[in-house]
Amino acid sequence: MARRALTTTAAAFAVTAALLLTACGGSDDSPSDDIKGAGDSSSSPSASASPSAGADVKRPVIKLPSSFQLTFENWTSSDPVEQAVLNDGKEQLRAGYEAIIENDPESKDRAFYDTKNGFLQSQQWIRTYTDKNLTVIGKLPVFDPKVILAKDKAAASLSYCTDESKASTRNRKTGEVKGNPAGTDPEVLYVISMGKNAQGVWQAVSARSERGGCAK
């Protein structure tokens, strides 16, 4: 399920790695860049929230069908701030695929986990599917998560890998199913720049991806 590349803008926390949400389907196997989630107020997350503030926020309930299994391996940390980043980063990714499957580029669930600028990027990524009547099916493991916190713990870099070996796209009209072209590396490295907003929710500011980057 190769993805289209989307350029992203950096903010809040500088990240140098590449990342994206590669959803199966396209024949373009160039590196893809994506962001997940969006903001509900300012384009840059606020640093005013306490580490535990986000726990009291009512988050959207993300629902994915059994036809698409998004699994997260070793998604835990003994550090409570890192765990908060992991939790919101996980839901941001799930919300992105929910938007694709529900054919909804305006997804409020995804927007919840993005800054305003981040959500604009997310919409571009989602529309690479919805504009072509594509949805996603199969299995997509997400693994090897790493969190790097800024000194003030108000910004972070979240990286992880995905394995697209068993994921595909399906055309909503024709039913045609496509996976990655033969010879395509199925593993994609994602790096997401995240910031904590005033409510304590970790939101995606920008994201990039690198196909084959997981082996480095």
Side-chain angles (χ1 to χ4, degrees):
M1 32 187 285
R3 274 285 311 260
R4 302 297 190 282
L6 297 178
T7 55
T8 58
T9 56
F13 190 80
V15 273
T16 55
L19 163 168
L20 164 115
L21 257 170
T22 90
C24 341
S27 58
D28 181 357
D29 60 354
S30 59
S32 31
D33 302 351
D34 267 22
I35 49 178
K36 312 144 194 161
D40 41 352
S41 54
S42 66
S43 59
S44 9
S46 165
S48 62
S50 67
S52 60
D56 299 326
V57 176
K58 184 176 181 180
R59 287 165 166 76
V61 177
I62 312 299
K63 296 181 180 180
L64 296 174
S66 59
S67 57
F68 183 67
Q69 299 177 33
L70 189 63
T71 58
F72 294 81
E73 302 173 9
N74 300 317
W75 214 257
T76 59
S77 172
S78 59
D79 183 290
V81 180
E82 290 186 5
Q83 188 61 56
V85 173
L86 289 169
N87 291 345
D88 285 342
K90 172 183 177 179
E91 292 307 294
Q92 188 231 12
L93 183 58
R94 294 182 71 247
Y97 281 109
E98 178 191 59
I100 291 169
I101 292 168
E102 294 186 354
N103 200 29
D104 182 16
E106 305 296 329
S107 170
K108 292 182 180 179
D109 289 351
R110 176 66 178 227
F112 181 88
Y113 290 106
D114 278 345
T115 62
K116 285 186 177 180
N117 287 340
F119 188 51
L120 291 175
Q121 294 177 325
S122 290
Q123 288 179 307
Q124 291 179 42
W125 169 62
I126 294 167
R127 287 189 175 111
T128 63
Y129 296 92
T130 60
D131 286 355
K132 297 181 179 180
N133 293 311
L134 296 177
T135 187
V136 289
I137 59 173
K139 299 178 179 181
L140 185 67
V142 187
F143 59 96
D144 197 20
K146 294 182 176 66
V147 177
I148 300 175
L149 293 172
K151 289 183 179 180
D152 62 0
K153 295 190 176 182
S157 169
L158 169 63
S159 65
Y160 52 79
C161 291
T162 62
D163 183 351
E164 302 176 345
S165 300
K166 297 182 179 180
S168 305
T169 56
R170 181 172 61 198
N171 188 287
R172 299 176 191 275
K173 290 185 176 180
T174 68
E176 181 182 16
V177 174
K178 286 186 178 181
N180 282 327
T184 300
D185 191 325
E187 293 189 351
V188 182
L189 169 68
Y190 294 91
V191 179
I192 306 174
S193 176
M194 303 184 74
K196 186 169 59 176
N197 69 10
Q199 288 72 44
V201 177
W202 285 91
Q203 296 180 310
V205 178
S206 66
R208 301 185 66 184
S209 67
E210 180 184 359
R211 186 172 295 280
C214 296
K216 295 183 179 180

mmCIF file of all heavy atoms in Angstrom, residues 152-180:
data_model
loop_
_atom_site.group_PDB
_atom_site.id
_atom_site.type_symbol
_atom_site.label_atom_id
_atom_site.label_comp_id
_atom_site.label_asym_id
_atom_site.label_seq_id
_atom_site.Cartn_x
_atom_site.Cartn_y
_atom_site.Cartn_z
ATOM 1 N N ASP A 152 11.578 20.946 28.064
ATOM 2 C CA ASP A 152 10.436 21.427 28.836
ATOM 3 C C ASP A 152 9.270 20.447 28.841
ATOM 4 O O ASP A 152 8.234 20.691 29.461
ATOM 5 C CB ASP A 152 9.967 22.781 28.312
ATOM 6 C CG ASP A 152 9.481 22.715 26.868
ATOM 7 O OD1 ASP A 152 9.499 21.611 26.265
ATOM 8 O OD2 ASP A 152 9.089 23.770 26.327
ATOM 9 N N LYS A 153 9.429 19.332 28.135
ATOM 10 C CA LYS A 153 8.413 18.277 28.043
ATOM 11 C C LYS A 153 7.079 18.789 27.499
ATOM 12 O O LYS A 153 6.023 18.239 27.791
ATOM 13 C CB LYS A 153 8.204 17.599 29.406
ATOM 14 C CG LYS A 153 9.440 16.844 29.888
ATOM 15 C CD LYS A 153 9.145 15.981 31.099
ATOM 16 C CE LYS A 153 10.373 15.160 31.493
ATOM 17 N NZ LYS A 153 10.107 14.274 32.642
ATOM 18 N N ALA A 154 7.146 19.833 26.689
ATOM 19 C CA ALA A 154 5.934 20.352 26.051
ATOM 20 C C ALA A 154 5.932 20.046 24.559
ATOM 21 O O ALA A 154 4.966 20.338 23.864
ATOM 22 C CB ALA A 154 5.825 21.857 26.265
ATOM 23 N N ALA A 155 7.014 19.448 24.065
ATOM 24 C CA ALA A 155 7.115 19.047 22.661
ATOM 25 C C ALA A 155 7.847 17.715 22.616
ATOM 26 O O ALA A 155 8.590 17.365 23.538
ATOM 27 C CB ALA A 155 7.846 20.110 21.843
ATOM 28 N N ALA A 156 7.619 16.968 21.550
ATOM 29 C CA ALA A 156 8.224 15.643 21.460
ATOM 30 C C ALA A 156 8.331 15.193 20.014
ATOM 31 O O ALA A 156 7.630 15.698 19.129
ATOM 32 C CB ALA A 156 7.401 14.626 22.258
ATOM 33 N N SER A 157 9.213 14.253 19.798
ATOM 34 C CA SER A 157 9.300 13.564 18.521
ATOM 35 C C SER A 157 8.902 12.110 18.758
ATOM 36 O O SER A 157 9.451 11.452 19.637
ATOM 37 C CB SER A 157 10.726 13.636 17.967
ATOM 38 O OG SER A 157 10.878 12.767 16.850
ATOM 39 N N LEU A 158 7.930 11.635 18.000
ATOM 40 C CA LEU A 158 7.491 10.243 18.084
ATOM 41 C C LEU A 158 7.831 9.547 16.768
ATOM 42 O O LEU A 158 7.396 9.992 15.709
ATOM 43 C CB LEU A 158 5.982 10.160 18.341
ATOM 44 C CG LEU A 158 5.341 8.770 18.198
ATOM 45 C CD1 LEU A 158 5.920 7.798 19.229
ATOM 46 C CD2 LEU A 158 3.825 8.865 18.321
ATOM 47 N N SER A 159 8.607 8.489 16.843
ATOM 48 C CA SER A 159 8.917 7.715 15.639
ATOM 49 C C SER A 159 8.432 6.283 15.822
ATOM 50 O O SER A 159 8.348 5.777 16.939
ATOM 51 C CB SER A 159 10.422 7.727 15.355
ATOM 52 O OG SER A 159 11.143 7.067 16.385
ATOM 53 N N TYR A 160 8.090 5.650 14.717
ATOM 54 C CA TYR A 160 7.685 4.254 14.749
ATOM 55 C C TYR A 160 7.762 3.683 13.341
ATOM 56 O O TYR A 160 7.957 4.414 12.366
ATOM 57 C CB TYR A 160 6.272 4.086 15.316
ATOM 58 C CG TYR A 160 5.209 4.933 14.667
ATOM 59 C CD1 TYR A 160 4.632 4.589 13.445
ATOM 60 C CD2 TYR A 160 4.752 6.091 15.303
ATOM 61 C CE1 TYR A 160 3.643 5.370 12.868
ATOM 62 C CE2 TYR A 160 3.767 6.873 14.739
ATOM 63 C CZ TYR A 160 3.221 6.506 13.518
ATOM 64 O OH TYR A 160 2.242 7.285 12.938
ATOM 65 N N CYS A 161 7.630 2.376 13.247
ATOM 66 C CA CYS A 161 7.667 1.703 11.952
ATOM 67 C C CYS A 161 6.337 1.008 11.683
ATOM 68 O O CYS A 161 5.622 0.634 12.613
ATOM 69 C CB CYS A 161 8.789 0.665 11.918
ATOM 70 S SG CYS A 161 10.451 1.369 11.927
ATOM 71 N N THR A 162 6.014 0.858 10.414
ATOM 72 C CA THR A 162 4.853 0.066 10.013
ATOM 73 C C THR A 162 5.290 -0.979 8.997
ATOM 74 O O THR A 162 6.276 -0.788 8.282
ATOM 75 C CB THR A 162 3.745 0.930 9.386
ATOM 76 O OG1 THR A 162 4.253 1.554 8.190
ATOM 77 C CG2 THR A 162 3.277 2.010 10.351
ATOM 78 N N ASP A 163 4.560 -2.073 8.947
ATOM 79 C CA ASP A 163 4.837 -3.150 8.000
ATOM 80 C C ASP A 163 3.610 -3.340 7.116
ATOM 81 O O ASP A 163 2.580 -3.832 7.565
ATOM 82 C CB ASP A 163 5.167 -4.441 8.744
ATOM 83 C CG ASP A 163 5.528 -5.587 7.805
ATOM 84 O OD1 ASP A 163 5.368 -5.448 6.573
ATOM 85 O OD2 ASP A 163 5.966 -6.642 8.306
ATOM 86 N N GLU A 164 3.732 -2.947 5.845
ATOM 87 C CA GLU A 164 2.590 -2.975 4.932
ATOM 88 C C GLU A 164 2.425 -4.294 4.179
ATOM 89 O O GLU A 164 1.635 -4.376 3.234
ATOM 90 C CB GLU A 164 2.735 -1.841 3.915
ATOM 91 C CG GLU A 164 2.829 -0.469 4.541
ATOM 92 C CD GLU A 164 3.068 0.621 3.516
ATOM 93 O OE1 GLU A 164 3.436 0.297 2.368
ATOM 94 O OE2 GLU A 164 2.894 1.802 3.861
ATOM 95 N N SER A 165 3.163 -5.335 4.593
ATOM 96 C CA SER A 165 3.151 -6.604 3.854
ATOM 97 C C SER A 165 1.748 -7.170 3.636
ATOM 98 O O SER A 165 1.453 -7.757 2.584
ATOM 99 C CB SER A 165 3.994 -7.650 4.596
ATOM 100 O OG SER A 165 5.318 -7.233 4.736
ATOM 101 N N LYS A 166 0.890 -6.975 4.631
ATOM 102 C CA LYS A 166 -0.444 -7.576 4.559
ATOM 103 C C LYS A 166 -1.548 -6.527 4.497
ATOM 104 O O LYS A 166 -2.706 -6.808 4.831
ATOM 105 C CB LYS A 166 -0.663 -8.503 5.753
ATOM 106 C CG LYS A 166 0.297 -9.689 5.777
ATOM 107 C CD LYS A 166 0.017 -10.614 6.950
ATOM 108 C CE LYS A 166 0.967 -11.805 6.948
ATOM 109 N NZ LYS A 166 0.709 -12.715 8.088
ATOM 110 N N ALA A 167 -1.192 -5.326 4.053
ATOM 111 C CA ALA A 167 -2.181 -4.250 3.918
ATOM 112 C C ALA A 167 -2.378 -3.901 2.452
ATOM 113 O O ALA A 167 -1.446 -3.990 1.651
ATOM 114 C CB ALA A 167 -1.727 -3.025 4.694
ATOM 115 N N SER A 168 -3.590 -3.509 2.111
ATOM 116 C CA SER A 168 -3.913 -3.195 0.723
ATOM 117 C C SER A 168 -4.945 -2.075 0.663
ATOM 118 O O SER A 168 -5.538 -1.707 1.680
ATOM 119 C CB SER A 168 -4.501 -4.432 0.012
ATOM 120 O OG SER A 168 -3.643 -5.541 0.105
ATOM 121 N N THR A 169 -5.156 -1.565 -0.551
ATOM 122 C CA THR A 169 -6.264 -0.649 -0.765
ATOM 123 C C THR A 169 -7.340 -1.377 -1.571
ATOM 124 O O THR A 169 -7.056 -2.313 -2.323
ATOM 125 C CB THR A 169 -5.844 0.606 -1.554
ATOM 126 O OG1 THR A 169 -5.249 0.214 -2.791
ATOM 127 C CG2 THR A 169 -4.854 1.442 -0.757
ATOM 128 N N ARG A 170 -8.577 -0.925 -1.399
ATOM 129 C CA ARG A 170 -9.687 -1.492 -2.167
ATOM 130 C C ARG A 170 -10.511 -0.355 -2.743
ATOM 131 O O ARG A 170 -10.882 0.583 -2.034
ATOM 132 C CB ARG A 170 -10.560 -2.388 -1.298
ATOM 133 C CG ARG A 170 -11.725 -3.029 -2.073
ATOM 134 C CD ARG A 170 -12.450 -4.041 -1.234
ATOM 135 N NE ARG A 170 -13.028 -3.435 -0.035
ATOM 136 C CZ ARG A 170 -13.417 -4.120 1.025
ATOM 137 N NH1 ARG A 170 -13.270 -5.429 1.066
ATOM 138 N NH2 ARG A 170 -13.943 -3.498 2.067
ATOM 139 N N ASN A 171 -10.792 -0.439 -4.024
ATOM 140 C CA ASN A 171 -11.609 0.574 -4.679
ATOM 141 C C ASN A 171 -13.064 0.388 -4.260
ATOM 142 O O ASN A 171 -13.618 -0.704 -4.367
ATOM 143 C CB ASN A 171 -11.474 0.466 -6.196
ATOM 144 C CG ASN A 171 -12.137 1.618 -6.915
ATOM 145 O OD1 ASN A 171 -13.365 1.709 -6.983
ATOM 146 N ND2 ASN A 171 -11.336 2.509 -7.460
ATOM 147 N N ARG A 172 -13.672 1.465 -3.777
ATOM 148 C CA ARG A 172 -15.043 1.375 -3.277
ATOM 149 C C ARG A 172 -16.037 1.022 -4.377
ATOM 150 O O ARG A 172 -17.066 0.383 -4.125
ATOM 151 C CB ARG A 172 -15.459 2.701 -2.639
ATOM 152 C CG ARG A 172 -14.618 3.115 -1.449
ATOM 153 C CD ARG A 172 -15.035 4.490 -0.952
ATOM 154 N NE ARG A 172 -14.084 5.032 0.009
ATOM 155 C CZ ARG A 172 -14.104 4.767 1.315
ATOM 156 N NH1 ARG A 172 -15.048 3.978 1.797
ATOM 157 N NH2 ARG A 172 -13.195 5.293 2.117
ATOM 158 N N LYS A 173 -15.756 1.454 -5.614
ATOM 159 C CA LYS A 173 -16.699 1.224 -6.711
ATOM 160 C C LYS A 173 -16.472 -0.112 -7.412
ATOM 161 O O LYS A 173 -17.417 -0.861 -7.664
ATOM 162 C CB LYS A 173 -16.593 2.366 -7.724
ATOM 163 C CG LYS A 173 -17.127 3.699 -7.203
ATOM 164 C CD LYS A 173 -17.115 4.755 -8.301
ATOM 165 C CE LYS A 173 -17.735 6.055 -7.810
ATOM 166 N NZ LYS A 173 -17.733 7.115 -8.878
ATOM 167 N N THR A 174 -15.206 -0.407 -7.717
ATOM 168 C CA THR A 174 -14.913 -1.611 -8.507
ATOM 169 C C THR A 174 -14.573 -2.823 -7.652
ATOM 170 O O THR A 174 -14.636 -3.959 -8.124
ATOM 171 C CB THR A 174 -13.744 -1.348 -9.462
ATOM 172 O OG1 THR A 174 -12.533 -1.168 -8.693
ATOM 173 C CG2 THR A 174 -13.990 -0.106 -10.310
ATOM 174 N N GLY A 175 -14.175 -2.579 -6.409
ATOM 175 C CA GLY A 175 -13.772 -3.679 -5.544
ATOM 176 C C GLY A 175 -12.346 -4.135 -5.783
ATOM 177 O O GLY A 175 -11.877 -5.076 -5.136
ATOM 178 N N GLU A 176 -11.631 -3.468 -6.697
ATOM 179 C CA GLU A 176 -10.262 -3.876 -7.009
ATOM 180 C C GLU A 176 -9.356 -3.681 -5.798
ATOM 181 O O GLU A 176 -9.362 -2.637 -5.159
ATOM 182 C CB GLU A 176 -9.722 -3.059 -8.181
ATOM 183 C CG GLU A 176 -8.308 -3.447 -8.587
ATOM 184 C CD GLU A 176 -7.767 -2.592 -9.720
ATOM 185 O OE1 GLU A 176 -8.347 -1.518 -9.982
ATOM 186 O OE2 GLU A 176 -6.757 -2.992 -10.324
ATOM 187 N N VAL A 177 -8.558 -4.708 -5.506
ATOM 188 C CA VAL A 177 -7.638 -4.683 -4.367
ATOM 189 C C VAL A 177 -6.206 -4.588 -4.877
ATOM 190 O O VAL A 177 -5.806 -5.319 -5.782
ATOM 191 C CB VAL A 177 -7.803 -5.943 -3.494
ATOM 192 C CG1 VAL A 177 -6.745 -5.978 -2.385
ATOM 193 C CG2 VAL A 177 -9.202 -5.982 -2.888
ATOM 194 N N LYS A 178 -5.443 -3.672 -4.284
ATOM 195 C CA LYS A 178 -4.038 -3.510 -4.674
ATOM 196 C C LYS A 178 -3.159 -3.414 -3.439
ATOM 197 O O LYS A 178 -3.497 -2.752 -2.468
ATOM 198 C CB LYS A 178 -3.851 -2.242 -5.508
ATOM 199 C CG LYS A 178 -4.359 -2.325 -6.930
ATOM 200 C CD LYS A 178 -3.973 -1.061 -7.694
ATOM 201 C CE LYS A 178 -4.424 -1.125 -9.146
ATOM 202 N NZ LYS A 178 -4.030 0.107 -9.892
ATOM 203 N N GLY A 179 -2.002 -4.060 -3.528
ATOM 204 C CA GLY A 179 -0.979 -3.926 -2.506
ATOM 205 C C GLY A 179 0.183 -3.147 -3.083
ATOM 206 O O GLY A 179 0.062 -2.505 -4.139
ATOM 207 N N ASN A 180 1.315 -3.190 -2.418
ATOM 208 C CA ASN A 180 2.491 -2.505 -2.941
ATOM 209 C C ASN A 180 3.018 -3.211 -4.174
ATOM 210 O O ASN A 180 2.905 -4.439 -4.299
ATOM 211 C CB ASN A 180 3.603 -2.468 -1.880
ATOM 212 C CG ASN A 180 3.367 -1.412 -0.833
ATOM 213 O OD1 ASN A 180 2.816 -0.360 -1.122
ATOM 214 N ND2 ASN A 180 3.779 -1.682 0.390
#
